[in-house]
């Protein structure tokens, strides 16, 4: 009963470095999402996917790329990290549309120096 | 643009008291959700209320929705120290059914023993 698992939990990057955040869900959910959370701003949607092989841009997609090669995994990539990308990143999944709300992972705290 | 916004930003009460948080939004919605986030953790789904519903209950939680005022409230009765968390409302953009929920900045609730 893992739900949504995010790796890594913490990471420090230097400006210009790249990294990939992994999100895995074991609930057979169709929809997956990547959010970032910054103080006083709530969660903002970066990218989302409505099924295997599909991705779409959210509210703040610049500087990020995503891939959904397998239904259970949703990867978030930072090609050239910037200090403005310092944030807590959350992955979420749902069955589709809004039947039962989103299931969130526990987050990845990323610091870019 | 932020769809939902919670009020107050922070709330401090004694154990046993009731806590009320409000969410106001700007455009018509199909659904509204409430989430809880404990410090350093992911968000946990509490309740989803649809635009044609006025009130929903779940244990000690009561959510109301007034679409004419574009507002919702979350009431936690007989609060406990374990209810200390941030609470977020999330609304779906009315013309983008179910695809993206927009989260407000949250209300930080402190329940003092």
């Amino acid at each position: 009963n893992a739900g949504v698992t995010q790796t890594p939990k913490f990471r420090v990057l230097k400006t210009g470095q790249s990294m990939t955040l992994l999100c895995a869900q074991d609930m057979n959910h169709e929809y997956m999402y990547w959010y970032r959370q910054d103080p006083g701003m709530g969660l903002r949607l970066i990218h989302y996917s409505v099924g295997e092989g599909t991705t779409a841009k959210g509210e703040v997609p610049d500087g990020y790329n995503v891939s959904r090669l397998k239904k259970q995994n949703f990867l978030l990539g930072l090609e050239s990290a910037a200090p403005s990308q310092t944030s807590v990143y959350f992955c979420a999944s749902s069955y589709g549309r809004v039947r039962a709300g989103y299931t969130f992972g526990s987050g990845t705290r990323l610091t870019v120096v | 643009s932020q769809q939902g916004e919670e009020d107050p930003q922070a709330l401090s009460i004694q154990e046993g008291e009731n806590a009320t948080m409000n969410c106001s939004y700007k455009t018509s919605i199909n659904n509204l959700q409430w989430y809880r986030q404990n410090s350093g953790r992911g968000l946990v789904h509490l309740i989803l209320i649809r635009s044609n519903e006025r009130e929903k209950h779940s244990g000690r939680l009561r959510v109301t929705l007034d679409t004419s005022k574009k507002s919702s409230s979350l009431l936690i009765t007989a609060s406990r120290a374990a209810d200390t968390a941030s609470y977020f409302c999330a609304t779906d953009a009315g013309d983008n059914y179910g695809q993206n929920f927009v989260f407000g900045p949250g209300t930080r609730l402190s329940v003092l023993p």
Side-chain angles (χ1 to χ4, degrees):
Chain A
N1 59 346
V4 177
T5 303
Q6 290 183 234
T7 53
K9 294 192 184 309
F10 303 94
R11 186 73 186 268
V12 178
L13 283 180
K14 294 182 179 178
T15 297
Q17 285 185 320
S18 63
M19 78 162 295
T20 300
L21 283 67
L22 172 63
C23 176
Q25 53 95 4
D26 61 0
M27 298 168 286
N28 203 34
H29 284 174
E30 288 293 335
Y31 285 42
M32 297 187 75
Y33 314 84
W34 275 106
Y35 286 90
R36 61 177 289 173
Q37 184 177 34
D38 302 292
M41 300 194 70
L43 279 79
R44 291 182 291 169
L45 183 65
I46 305 171
H47 286 280
Y48 64 97
S49 168
V50 300
E52 181 179 317
T54 73
T55 62
K57 294 180 180 180
E59 181 185 355
V60 289
D62 294 342
Y64 305 95
N65 57 74
V66 288
S67 65
R68 183 105 181 263
L69 298 179
K70 293 183 178 180
K71 185 177 183 178
Q72 63 268 33
N73 296 335
F74 196 28
L75 278 63
L76 178 70
L78 286 73
E79 290 187 346
S80 179
S84 61
Q85 293 177 305
T86 293
S87 187
V88 181
Y89 292 86
F90 287 99
C91 177
S93 69
S94 65
Y95 277 112
R97 301 284 167 109
V98 294
R99 283 185 225 173
Y102 295 178
T103 301
F104 279 84
S106 57
T108 295
R109 186 172 294 275
L110 175 66
T111 301
V112 183
V113 298
Chain B
S1 62
Q2 205 154 273
Q3 167 74 319
E5 189 141 345
E6 296 87 350
D7 170 64
Q9 290 185 343
L11 180 61
S12 193
I13 60 173
Q14 295 292 132
E15 224 172 3
E17 293 181 338
N18 295 341
T20 300
M21 289 157 271
N22 302 297
C23 172
S24 58
Y25 55 91
K26 296 174 183 172
T27 61
S28 63
I29 61 169
N30 293 312
N31 305 276
L32 184 146
Q33 304 184 53
W34 283 93
Y35 287 82
R36 182 188 75 234
Q37 184 181 32
N38 293 93
S39 180
R41 309 293 292 272
L43 281 71
V44 174
H45 180 255
L46 297 176
I47 287 184
L48 180 150
I49 187 165
R50 304 188 191 282
S51 60
N52 61 354
E53 297 175 313
R54 291 296 167 257
E55 188 171 310
K56 285 189 86 168
H57 296 256
S58 177
R60 295 183 295 112
L61 306 180
R62 173 177 167 251
V63 168
T64 61
L65 178 63
D66 187 336
T67 53
S68 67
K69 295 181 179 178
K70 293 186 171 60
S71 68
S72 173
S73 67
L74 169 66
L75 168 68
I76 304 174
T77 60
S79 62
R80 306 165 181 168
D83 294 326
T84 294
S86 290
Y87 292 82
F88 297 87
C89 71
T91 54
D92 67 331
D95 59 354
N96 193 17
Y97 176 71
Q99 238 172 12
N100 297 326
F101 272 82
V102 179
F103 288 79
T107 291
R108 287 192 320 278
L109 173 66
S110 298
V111 181
L112 307 174

